[in-house]
Amino acid sequence: MMYLPALILFAAFIFYPFMNGIRISFTNWDGYSQNSAWVGLANYKRLFTDPNIGTVVKNTLTYGLGSTILQNLFGLLYALLLNQSIKGRGIVRTIIYLPVIISPLIMGYIWYFIFQMNGGALNDLVKLFGGDPVNFLANPQLNVWLITLVNTFQFVGTAMIIYLAGLQSISADYYEAASLDGASAWQRFKNVTFPLLAPSITINVVINIIGGLKLFDVIIALTNGGPGYASQSLSTMMYQMYFARQDAGYAASMGNLMFFITSIIGIAALILLRRKENA
């Protein structure tokens, strides 16, 4: 009985919408009318023959895996630095964590005004040094990585906090014993810090992968998925198919593909990292 409220909430807000999404993906529902017809696998056939789906999936993987690598790299570096007894470390920790509490949509618009071609802060800097303005957000070779960097900037504070908690749980006795054995700073990190941070690494990697693969707000604010499909992700394309084109059946099939990709990568990372923890 203790689990009943949780089970009811899970059924109402997770299980039912998920099963309903699968059902809709086999229909031609427009998302608004009361009528829809069963179309079988037509939406999935259309999805896997869509000429833009390769770019969209590649962008989604770049947001997910790129953000995961960068957030963990910088989060660990910040944590190692700010775990030392240095003056003002509390203020610096707060500054790094501050972007986490801002809405991702607002964060996207802040960076939009930095990157935009006319009147953007970055282009003002380029012109100050005699360069020509650059349309950063319209460059298909650049905008996916700029979105990944903005997502990293916003959530690196979360990774830092988790790594700081992990570092502070490591007993000083391990470091004293390693020092007595003549271990260098790198050897102490490699043989003491890194292995004992394994649970923190697992948590950070899984959270970052899921967050990056379903990235939405920042893309909408910075490029709206454009130009064309150059920076589109599965989540933004799904949104546009549903609301702009009233093609809910196709949007649902896209959502199921995103669920499948996120589940496979997230579960694989979790299993691999848990094995490393127990090795």
Side-chain angles (χ1 to χ4, degrees):
M1 290 298 289
M2 289 177 62
Y3 298 109
L4 189 59
L7 288 172
I8 291 172
L9 290 173
F10 176 80
F13 295 105
I14 304 292
F15 186 72
Y16 173 72
F18 174 68
M19 296 306 294
N20 201 36
I22 292 176
R23 182 188 65 80
I24 291 170
S25 71
F26 294 105
T27 70
N28 64 353
W29 189 44
D30 64 6
Y32 297 96
S33 71
Q34 298 295 319
N35 302 317
S36 64
W38 180 266
V39 295
L41 294 172
N43 286 323
Y44 290 96
K45 185 178 177 183
R46 179 182 162 196
L47 179 64
F48 290 112
T49 55
D50 190 323
N52 299 306
I53 198 67
T55 302
V56 173
V57 170
K58 181 183 164 190
N59 292 342
T60 304
L61 292 175
T62 302
Y63 298 140
L65 302 180
S67 297
T68 300
I69 293 169
L70 292 173
Q71 284 177 41
N72 279 277
L73 180 62
F74 286 103
L76 180 58
L77 286 174
Y78 283 141
L80 289 169
L81 179 64
L82 296 173
N83 196 41
Q84 307 300 315
S85 298
I86 55 176
K87 192 175 180 181
R89 66 177 181 176
I91 295 172
V92 178
R93 287 177 185 175
T94 304
I95 291 171
I96 294 171
Y97 187 76
L98 207 55
V100 175
I101 64 175
I102 299 174
S103 158
L105 190 63
I106 300 298
M107 179 60 69
Y109 283 120
I110 290 171
W111 282 96
Y112 173 80
F113 289 113
I114 293 173
F115 289 138
Q116 69 171 326
M117 187 172 180
N118 298 315
L122 196 54
N123 269 316
D124 284 347
L125 198 61
V126 170
K127 287 190 280 187
L128 188 67
F129 286 96
D132 295 323
V134 180
N135 199 346
F136 295 103
L137 298 176
N139 186 336
Q141 309 299 323
L142 200 58
N143 54 17
V144 172
W145 290 105
L146 290 177
I147 291 168
T148 303
L149 287 173
V150 170
N151 186 48
T152 299
F153 169 80
Q154 178 161 23
F155 292 107
V156 71
T158 303
M160 177 193 72
I161 292 296
I162 293 172
Y163 280 126
L164 270 173
L167 286 171
Q168 290 171 7
S169 69
I170 300 174
S171 170
D173 294 343
Y174 293 114
Y175 295 107
E176 289 175 10
S179 297
L180 289 174
D181 289 339
S184 64
W186 167 247
Q187 287 171 326
R188 289 197 297 274
F189 173 78
K190 180 184 172 187
N191 299 317
V192 178
T193 306
F194 196 71
L196 293 176
L197 275 181
S200 303
I201 294 171
T202 302
I203 294 168
N204 265 326
V205 167
V206 174
I207 288 175
N208 296 159
I209 283 177
I210 294 172
L213 289 175
K214 65 182 183 64
L215 187 63
F216 175 79
D217 313 60
V218 173
I219 304 170
I220 292 293
L222 281 177
T223 64
N224 200 27
Y229 288 84
S231 58
Q232 200 82 264
S233 71
L234 283 168
S235 60
T236 57
M237 191 172 173
M238 181 173 59
Y239 168 81
Q240 289 175 358
M241 286 294 165
Y242 191 108
F243 290 101
R245 302 191 187 183
Q246 299 182 5
D247 199 349
Y250 188 47
S253 67
M254 207 167 286
N256 291 331
L257 176 63
M258 188 172 79
F259 172 79
F260 178 77
I261 292 174
T262 305
S263 299
I264 292 295
I265 296 177
I267 292 171
L270 182 62
I271 292 172
L272 183 67
L273 291 169
R274 289 304 297 267
R275 283 182 181 170
K276 291 284 183 187
E277 282 181 39
N278 298 324

